[in-house]
Amino acid sequence: MRRTFTALLVALMLAGVASAQEFDWRQFEGEEIRFMMNQHPFTDFIEPLVPEFEELTGIDVTLESYPEDQFRQRRLLEVASGAPTLDGYMIMPGQVGAQYLGAGWVRHIDDFVENDSLTMPDLDLQDFFAGALSTFQSEEGLYGLPLQIESSLLFYREDLFEEAGLDGPPETLEELAEYAAALDSDEVAGFAMRGRGAAATSQIVNLLYSFGGEWLNEDGSSALASEESVAALEYYADLLRNYGPPGPTNLHWNEVMSLYAQGEVAMVFDANVFRSIVEDPEQAIDVVRENTRYAPLPAGPDGSVPAVLVWGLSINHASDSPEAAWYFIQWALSKENQVKALLAGVPAARESAWENEEFQATAPESWIEASRESFNRGQPNWNPPVVPVAEVRDAYGQAIVAALQGEPVEPALERAAEEMDQIVARTN
Amino acid sequence: MKRASDFFDRYAQWLFPLPALLAIAVLIVGPVLANFYISLHNWFIGLPPTFVGLDNFQEALADRRFWNGVRNTFYFTLLAVPIQLVLGLGIAVLFNREFPGKGLVRTIILLPMVATPVAIALIWALMFNPSLGVLNYFLESLGLPRSLWVANADLVIPSLVMVDVWEWTPMIALILLAALQGIPGEYYEAARIDGATGIQAFLHITLPSIRSAIVVALILRTVDALKTFDIIYVITGGGPGIASETLNVFAFKTGFQFFRAGYSASLLIFLMFLVLGVAILLNLARRGGK
């Protein structure tokens, strides 16, 4: 009697679950999924936690990780082959978004998000930084979720500012140039940022946007020769030529950061993650470590429009277990796991994680504030939104080097725009 | 049993080199043929290739970056190899004499050649840094003005040549030293008895005796210098702009960064014929001289 009662109760409960379409972690028990990952702090962080997910869901997860170059090649091969055994992968939309969307290699997830039985109740998409989520937004909808977000900031020396009688960080690009002039001396250069051709484009794009420029015109042709783009590059070249360290065409991020860490330059603009270099006593001299403050990108004629660099997780178009893959993504990027990721050193893409008190105690206030501001304002295309990203960056890079060598900016950009159109046409 | 050994005896001249021939076929001939095949296609890696015939070669001949690469390749080689040859000869002559601590000095001077090229390149890149590098520190302590080194478009190739000379002069010295040690001492004795000066002995005995060794060293180094990749790629990446972009570096970027496999393959075919042509010319010069 008692046993039948229990059985009845269980049956009733199951029926209830089924009819209300409630979210159930064990819905895909027994499925196997495979994700391809970049060897990245996030992967190091999530890998040991995977057994928790397996226990929770009964889904068997394999994470394969490779160093970045290899990772990108392998992902390309597997995704292009259409093999259903790959269920998901790490992806940087700013790098390959145009290519993967164009080829139909990502699975859009709106139908999952709208389905209450497939999406956990506290997913809370609004919690992701606006700049991070927007990178996964295409015309056809959402195609993944962000796992981390980076942006570039102004690093500056408060002690040198005080000496020069400057108050607070520059708020406009005009002010930035004035500050650089005031700080520049024989011992210390006023300002530095990347100048090494293609490597510099990821930073200059911040100026391009803030001057109102774009990568592409409405019709898909190159916008690099636009008035705004010319103004941005002229501004940049003047700044570096007049107040930068010697040989700006040589500057990659490690040159920029080591100059700053050694006290050779008063302000630099580069990725916020390089705080780790500035705070490392092995790499930075004391006066730099003690006096560095951070500020968001100063505003140009079109405001302060920083580009954000976002890594995330997407579902493979060919996956035969897309629902199980979606479960894994939700779990890996849950509020709880994003806090843990942030505490493990991964700049998490959820705003709520950044409010964690334990985290706030680990980073300078000005850095947290400036970073969050940039993340919310961020523009996703830190690269040209085309398939042949590297070659277009290289063409733009040639114009950057020409400008730094004192050549006229306009013809250099006209040539870059022309080359960019040819390059893009080749893959269409 | 007997038959088998007969078979081996009869075809020994084919059987012994067979493993080597197979290795060459698989590792060299195969890839070269595949490269030819790829060069006939327009292939953006990730998209399906399309056959385009000789279009890639035509495009290269009209590409300013291709010619820039050819020019830089020759500039680099023609500057680097003669310097290495002269210095290498000098070092070889020096080491051919006895002096205290010779073994130690010889080991030290050979070190650049055995170190890992990428590691060397990274260290030189640090030394070239215009603000933090040790080279400008030396210049300044000698009262000389700072230099931009590899950050200056005009100085970049001479600076890279400096690294190449530092790295590869020991190889030339080694080859020439071996040749020098093969010259019988009697020649010099006879010359001394006839009243020849040191310079005369050098010009009329030493140089002619090691002539073929010099040509061998020249061919080896020239072929290598034309293909130089590691130090250029690591130190400048072909920059500033394309000021130090050799054909090899350009082909690498085209293939592995820009993903244009077909065009990259055609560039490498140009490079192959260029290297082959120079090697044949040098070889002819050696035979013609005999």
Side-chain angles (χ1 to χ4, degrees):
Chain A
M1 183 64 196
R2 187 154 182 189
R3 200 179 280 168
T4 37
F5 179 73
T6 320
L8 194 70
L9 199 69
V10 169
L12 274 174
M13 278 169 66
L14 281 176
V17 167
S19 65
Q21 290 281 299
E22 268 173 29
F23 180 73
D24 172 16
W25 278 113
R26 297 204 75 86
Q27 203 176 159
F28 300 101
E29 194 167 349
E31 291 201 16
E32 288 172 21
I33 55 170
R34 186 166 66 96
F35 268 70
M36 199 180 284
M37 310 291 279
N38 178 21
Q39 255 177 27
H40 180 278
F42 177 78
T43 309
D44 297 339
F45 153 77
I46 204 76
E47 210 156 18
L49 299 183
V50 166
E52 281 179 24
F53 174 76
E54 292 178 323
E55 206 171 304
L56 175 71
T57 61
I59 297 169
D60 187 51
V61 183
T62 310
L63 290 189
E64 263 176 40
S65 61
Y66 305 96
E68 184 152 355
D69 281 349
Q70 261 174 297
F71 159 72
R72 287 170 55 185
Q73 285 160 14
R74 280 177 183 253
R75 185 184 57 187
L76 181 66
L77 281 178
E78 278 216 40
V79 171
S81 79
T85 51
L86 181 68
D87 299 288
Y89 41 77
M90 253 174 98
I91 184 171
M92 193 187 258
Q95 191 106 42
V96 294
Q99 184 180 12
Y100 277 53
L101 279 172
W105 289 337
V106 285
R107 192 195 185 287
H108 284 84
I109 55 173
D110 299 78
D111 53 334
F112 288 169
V113 174
E114 284 156 17
N115 187 339
D116 289 341
S117 71
L118 291 178
T119 295
M120 60 185 195
D122 52 350
L123 177 69
D124 193 4
L125 286 182
Q126 303 309 317
D127 184 34
F128 289 99
F129 286 110
L133 198 65
S134 70
T135 56
F136 278 101
Q137 205 87 51
S138 79
E139 277 166 25
E140 299 107 285
L142 203 61
Y143 65 97
L145 289 183
L147 64 87
Q148 80 155 34
I149 179 165
E150 293 170 27
S151 185
S152 288
L153 298 179
L154 188 73
F155 296 53
Y156 67 93
R157 288 267 301 278
E158 204 173 42
D159 56 329
L160 296 177
F161 271 43
E162 275 166 21
E163 268 171 47
L166 301 169
D167 189 27
E171 278 170 15
T172 63
L173 290 176
E174 232 170 286
E175 266 178 35
L176 177 67
E178 284 162 21
Y179 278 39
L183 291 162
D184 195 55
S185 70
D186 287 346
E187 287 83 45
V188 181
F191 175 79
M193 67 190 271
R194 296 184 206 178
R196 197 164 179 171
T201 59
S202 64
Q203 302 305 315
I204 288 180
V205 68
N206 294 290
L207 300 177
L208 181 70
Y209 287 148
S210 300
F211 270 84
E214 269 297 337
W215 288 107
L216 297 173
N217 292 316
E218 294 271 304
D219 62 354
S221 64
S222 170
L224 285 183
S226 70
E227 230 174 89
E228 295 83 9
S229 166
V230 171
L233 191 56
E234 270 172 354
Y235 169 85
Y236 160 85
D238 284 345
L239 197 60
L240 276 185
R241 283 170 61 79
N242 295 330
Y243 317 118
T249 55
N250 198 33
L251 300 173
H252 203 329
W253 64 263
N254 50 347
E255 281 83 12
V256 170
M257 292 318 298
S258 19
L259 286 173
Y260 183 76
Q262 294 301 311
E264 299 268 334
V265 52
M267 301 185 282
V268 294
F269 184 76
D270 213 303
N272 63 344
V273 291
F274 295 136
R275 168 169 81 88
S276 60
I277 296 176
V278 172
E279 287 172 8
D280 178 5
E282 303 257 307
Q283 299 185 66
I285 57 176
D286 291 348
V287 62
V288 172
R289 271 190 303 132
E290 284 154 17
N291 292 296
T292 295
R293 301 290 177 272
Y294 305 85
L297 170 73
D302 213 49
S304 163
V305 191
V308 287
L309 196 147
V310 172
W311 273 106
L313 293 172
S314 282
I315 301 174
N316 186 17
H317 66 119
S319 163
D320 53 7
S321 316
E323 295 89 0
W326 171 236
Y327 267 43
F328 177 73
I329 292 178
Q330 294 180 74
W331 168 82
L333 305 178
S334 68
K335 286 183 181 171
E336 194 191 346
N337 276 332
Q338 281 274 283
V339 174
K340 286 191 206 160
L342 187 62
L343 290 172
V346 179
R350 277 187 184 272
E351 182 118 45
S352 61
W354 286 65
E355 269 152 25
N356 178 280
E357 277 174 24
E358 197 184 326
F359 167 70
Q360 292 195 340
T362 63
E365 208 185 317
S366 67
W367 185 82
I368 294 181
E369 227 167 86
S371 297
R372 287 176 66 170
E373 213 169 300
S374 305
F375 296 164
N376 273 322
R377 258 191 244 150
Q379 219 284 11
N381 292 324
W382 63 281
N383 272 320
V386 296
V387 176
V389 167
E391 202 174 359
V392 168
R393 282 181 68 167
D394 193 84
Y396 190 17
Q398 306 293 337
I400 291 168
V401 169
L404 287 176
Q405 285 168 342
E407 288 165 37
V409 167
E410 210 174 328
L413 278 174
E414 271 162 17
R415 184 155 79 181
E418 203 177 299
E419 285 179 358
M420 179 170 164
D421 285 336
Q422 286 168 6
I423 293 163
V424 172
R426 266 202 300 268
T427 51
N428 279 343
Chain B
M1 205 52 203
K2 185 144 198 304
R3 272 199 174 164
S5 73
D6 267 0
F7 175 83
F8 283 115
D9 281 345
R10 189 174 305 162
Y11 297 106
Q13 75 268 40
W14 298 110
L15 288 173
F16 282 112
L18 194 63
L21 280 177
L22 278 179
I24 287 175
V26 172
L27 297 175
I28 299 177
V29 179
V32 168
L33 290 179
N35 191 66
F36 268 106
Y37 179 74
I38 293 171
S39 73
L40 301 177
H41 293 78
N42 184 5
W43 182 19
F44 185 88
I45 298 175
L47 299 178
T50 47
F51 181 82
V52 293
L54 296 176
D55 281 9
N56 284 327
F57 296 90
Q58 239 172 352
E59 191 186 332
L61 293 175
D63 188 346
R64 74 186 168 95
R65 230 166 137 172
F66 167 76
W67 291 109
N68 172 71
V70 171
R71 207 184 52 237
N72 285 339
T73 303
F74 276 108
Y75 180 22
F76 180 86
T77 306
L78 291 177
L79 194 60
V81 176
I83 298 176
Q84 290 167 7
L85 198 64
V86 172
L87 290 179
L89 184 59
I91 293 172
V93 169
L94 192 70
F95 283 167
N96 200 25
R97 307 170 180 207
E98 284 308 320
F99 59 87
K102 178 174 153 182
L104 182 69
V105 178
R106 193 162 57 187
T107 311
I108 290 174
I109 218 150
L110 286 179
L111 281 181
M113 198 176 86
V114 293
T116 314
V118 171
I120 288 174
L122 285 171
I123 290 169
W124 276 92
L126 286 178
M127 300 204 298
F128 279 134
N129 187 306
S131 315
L132 302 169
V134 73
L135 292 181
N136 271 351
Y137 173 79
F138 285 145
L139 285 186
E140 280 194 325
S141 36
L142 292 172
L144 296 167
R146 286 166 161 247
S147 167
L148 285 180
W149 302 107
V150 291
N152 178 322
D154 297 323
L155 289 180
V156 60
I157 288 193
S159 303
L160 290 169
V161 162
M162 202 161 98
V163 182
D164 199 64
V165 165
W166 176 83
E167 187 182 357
W168 291 113
T169 300
M171 189 181 93
I172 293 196
L174 206 63
I175 296 174
L176 298 188
L177 184 61
L180 283 177
Q181 284 169 344
I183 307 175
E186 290 86 355
Y187 290 5
Y188 293 100
E189 250 170 68
R192 217 178 311 132
I193 290 165
D194 287 344
T197 62
I199 292 173
Q200 281 172 323
F202 178 75
L203 287 178
H204 298 291
I205 300 171
T206 313
L207 275 187
S209 311
I210 60 168
R211 189 168 179 279
S212 56
I214 291 178
V215 178
V216 167
L218 198 62
I219 293 178
L220 285 177
R221 266 318 296 149
T222 307
V223 167
D224 240 19
L226 288 169
K227 301 185 302 180
T228 304
F229 178 77
D230 32 34
I231 59 170
I232 301 178
Y233 187 71
V234 174
I235 297 177
T236 68
I242 49 173
S244 64
E245 192 174 81
T246 58
L247 200 48
N248 209 1
V249 172
F250 179 40
F252 176 85
K253 280 195 201 168
T254 308
F256 294 102
Q257 292 182 354
F258 307 161
F259 297 125
R260 296 181 63 196
Y263 191 50
S264 175
S266 71
L267 293 174
L268 286 172
I269 287 172
F270 278 112
L271 179 65
M272 187 178 84
F273 280 114
L274 201 137
V275 172
L276 218 59
V278 170
I280 289 172
L281 276 181
L282 283 172
N283 218 2
L284 283 179
R286 180 175 70 148
R287 291 199 190 148
K290 266 193 176 166

